[in-house]
Amino acid sequence: MRRVVVTGLGMVSPLACGVDETWSRLLEGQSGAGPITKFDASHLATTYACEVPLGDGSGGTFNPDDWMAPKDRRKVDDFILYGMAAAEQAVTDAGWTPEDEADRLRTGVMIGSGIGGLSSIADTAVLLKEKGPRRVSPFFIPGSLINLISGQVSIRYGFKGPNHAVVTACSTGAHAIGDAARLIQWGDAEVMIAGGAEAAICEIGIAGFNACKALSTKRPDDPQKASRPYDADRDGFVMGEGAGVVVLEEYEHAKARGAKIYAEVLGYGLSGDAYHITAPSEDGDGGFRSMQAALERAGVDPKDIDYINAHGTSTMADTIELGAVERLMGDAASGATMSSTKSSIGHLLGAAGAVEAIFCILAIRDQVAPPTINLDNPAVEPVLDLAPNAKRARKIDVALSNSFGFGGTNASLVLGKVSD
Amino acid sequence: MSDIADRVKKIVVEHLSVEEEKVTENASFIDDLGADSLDTVELVMAFEEEFGIEIPDDAAETIQTFGDAVKFIKEAS
């Protein structure tokens, strides 16, 4: 089987625009949460979220002008803007901007989103109602469709290989990386730009997740304490936004061009809960089977797993996942560290799996596990080290990343140090 | 230049992000100002909004240049 490695990383997160800018703040235990500023949220049950920090581009702020010309930006929803920014960072980091047609034909894109242009759809529906169909922009549909990040990236760089997009709610980013890696393994492409993006912090997005009783509502006065996975006082997830994109490459291809290789995609597992539209089963069976499949594909044993980036959203489901992971790890559980970085950046929905896979890759690179912040009083006594409130310097050769989505869709990735 | 021409030019400059000097009488939206077919649909919508007129699809197809737009709007308003 052809091997797949990661040669480029890109990220827009609530902590910062940029991979290293986000990573250093994550390790420091910073929170990206705050009152919602994108719109007036005062009438909603939840008034806070983890928004991407806007600015002039300095100090880790996100400047839209740096990533898309104003003329083009006007035509796309923010999820596409974030995706384009992360893709450009990843492609630049990988140094893969081929001018040669053969190389372009062998490079594909698979960047998905959980919900896509939600805010654009809501705004356009209001416009349609108020002003009629003739005022609907010709850019509304191509600016809202989920596969349009993949389309835009292919147009920008001339990547003519497989062009695809995943839509599996909060598992999107992980599924995209796993599926794209398989396309390389099967020989459909040599290089894939893969990941996820989301921009659902809008009135209809918050109102919708509030209606599902999924969001934290209790901490308007202290939003930075609201995302607290595994803590007894957690009361729902805090919505985040942003994008994570990686460049995946066939191992020999990467070696031949002297690319910087971050890590190898060792394994990928998928499963379905067949249980409930928004809740996992009490025994965490779906997540368990997803992890099990990923380990089997990777050919690694539970004792080989050093770090786990949990799905851990700061909801009641945290302890279900914890139980499934400890069951999977067995006697090896006490030797592994698991953290939920959603404690710092909130839940990026369709971008979460990609952003968190990048955190696993950086954990392997720097031999440090990011912390689970706000974990003051664990809801259950864990066997695993949950890195409460402080990063954990330790050996990390192999990492596992979990993503579980509404509908009962689960994805797990095993990432590891590259060995010859 | 007439008030209508100024207002049309402002819309074209904003929507297509082009320099004002390039928006001349015979400048074609597609060939000279970098618009694609969707941009021209949006431009026509912006003209309709600005001038409170309706530009039917068959008429919109005849508006290829800045001059065409100004002429049509002058006659329609």
Side-chain angles (χ1 to χ4, degrees):
Chain A
M1 188 66 87
R2 282 151 56 96
R3 295 170 65 184
V4 179
V5 294
V6 181
T7 57
L9 308 175
M11 186 183 294
V12 176
S13 88
L15 286 177
C17 174
V19 171
D20 287 321
E21 293 82 352
T22 297
W23 181 237
S24 60
R25 289 165 201 204
L26 187 73
L27 293 179
E28 285 168 13
Q30 291 188 23
S31 165
I36 290 171
T37 62
K38 296 164 87 88
F39 65 97
D40 178 7
S42 56
H43 59 303
L44 298 174
T46 295
T47 58
Y48 46 91
C50 292
E51 295 179 340
V52 166
L54 292 174
D56 63 3
S58 64
T61 55
F62 179 77
N63 181 355
D65 288 343
D66 291 344
W67 309 103
M68 276 184 106
K71 164 177 169 290
D72 299 320
R73 209 169 66 232
R74 212 166 39 75
K75 303 171 185 172
V76 301
D77 190 273
D78 279 350
F79 85 100
I80 294 180
L81 172 66
Y82 295 154
M84 290 294 282
E88 183 170 329
Q89 293 168 29
V91 166
T92 304
D93 185 34
W96 184 247
T97 49
E99 298 295 325
D100 180 62
E101 181 72 359
D103 286 336
R104 289 178 164 191
L105 288 167
R106 300 288 290 154
T107 303
V109 191
M110 190 177 323
I111 302 171
S113 179
I115 318 184
L118 186 60
S119 159
S120 299
I121 293 169
D123 291 348
T124 305
V126 172
L127 184 79
L128 177 67
K129 191 81 176 166
E130 288 179 350
K131 295 193 171 178
R134 292 184 61 85
R135 292 276 85 84
V136 175
S137 165
F139 300 108
F140 161 55
I141 297 291
S144 305
L145 292 178
I146 283 176
N147 69 302
L148 258 287
I149 305 174
S150 293
Q152 293 271 9
V153 169
S154 73
I155 293 163
R156 178 173 284 184
Y157 296 102
F159 295 150
K160 295 183 177 176
N163 201 270
H164 204 332
V166 172
V167 185
T168 49
C170 306
S171 296
T172 297
H175 273 139
I177 291 172
D179 288 349
R182 291 214 170 147
L183 289 183
I184 294 173
Q185 285 177 324
W186 276 82
D188 295 284
E190 298 299 325
V191 182
M192 289 292 297
I193 319 302
E198 205 76 74
I201 303 176
C202 56
E203 189 178 20
I204 196 172
I206 298 289
F209 279 102
N210 270 153
C212 296
K213 305 293 177 199
L215 294 179
S216 166
T217 60
K218 288 183 182 166
R219 288 186 172 77
D221 299 327
D222 200 3
Q224 301 210 333
K225 298 284 182 198
S227 186
R228 41 194 319 117
Y230 315 109
D231 191 87
D233 296 323
R234 69 199 188 281
D235 75 316
F237 77 80
V238 177
M239 200 188 292
E241 60 174 354
V245 173
V246 298
V247 175
L248 300 175
E249 193 164 346
E250 195 276 324
Y251 179 51
E252 297 298 337
H253 187 275
K255 265 206 314 193
R257 72 180 184 92
K260 162 183 61 186
I261 296 176
Y262 284 99
E264 180 167 0
V265 180
L266 295 174
Y268 168 45
L270 315 79
S271 74
D273 285 349
Y275 179 72
H276 185 267
I277 51 174
T278 61
S281 62
E282 283 298 322
D283 59 2
D285 167 67
F288 181 87
R289 286 184 288 107
S290 161
M291 290 185 276
Q292 197 176 40
L295 261 62
E296 194 172 312
R297 286 281 178 184
V300 301
D301 295 321
K303 66 171 169 45
D304 300 323
I305 304 288
D306 301 305
Y307 171 64
I308 299 146
N309 188 295
H311 183 59
T313 55
S314 184
T315 62
M316 289 307 125
D318 294 356
T319 48
I320 295 176
E321 180 191 15
L322 179 64
V325 173
E326 290 186 345
R327 189 152 58 92
L328 177 93
M329 295 295 284
D331 293 342
S334 59
T337 296
M338 176 164 93
S339 61
S340 170
T341 44
K342 289 187 178 78
S343 58
S344 285
I345 62 169
H347 189 354
L348 273 63
L349 308 176
V355 164
E356 291 160 15
I358 293 172
F359 291 155
C360 285
I361 291 163
L362 297 172
I364 292 166
R365 181 190 71 180
D366 295 344
Q367 299 290 291
V368 59
T372 303
I373 67 168
N374 298 324
L375 179 47
D376 302 324
N377 178 24
V380 297
E381 198 52 49
V383 179
L384 287 152
D385 165 32
L386 297 178
N389 301 314
K391 66 185 178 190
R392 188 79 74 230
R394 56 160 296 152
K395 173 185 88 77
I396 301 176
D397 292 338
V398 179
L400 171 69
S401 187
N402 279 339
S403 295
F404 310 142
F406 277 7
T409 173
N410 312 300
S412 299
L413 292 167
V414 177
L415 300 145
K417 261 190 178 166
V418 178
S419 55
D420 297 328
Chain B
M1 192 184 280
S2 73
D3 173 52
I4 286 179
D6 280 346
R7 286 156 70 192
V8 171
K9 183 175 282 187
K10 186 161 178 280
I11 289 170
V12 172
V13 166
E14 275 177 17
H15 281 257
L16 302 181
S17 289
V18 289
E19 288 159 18
E20 205 174 315
E21 305 84 77
K22 290 194 174 159
V23 187
T24 56
E25 177 76 16
N26 293 321
S28 157
F29 296 129
I30 290 179
D31 296 335
D32 302 316
L33 301 177
D36 64 19
S37 60
L38 296 182
D39 288 317
T40 61
V41 174
E42 201 188 35
L43 270 182
V44 167
M45 285 173 54
F47 298 151
E48 289 183 327
E49 180 105 7
E50 172 73 17
F51 296 99
I53 56 173
E54 188 164 312
I55 305 176
D57 287 351
D58 54 347
E61 282 168 21
T62 68
I63 301 176
Q64 305 281 332
T65 66
F66 172 64
D68 292 342
V70 173
K71 182 162 173 283
F72 183 92
I73 293 163
K74 273 184 179 166
E75 287 167 4
S77 15

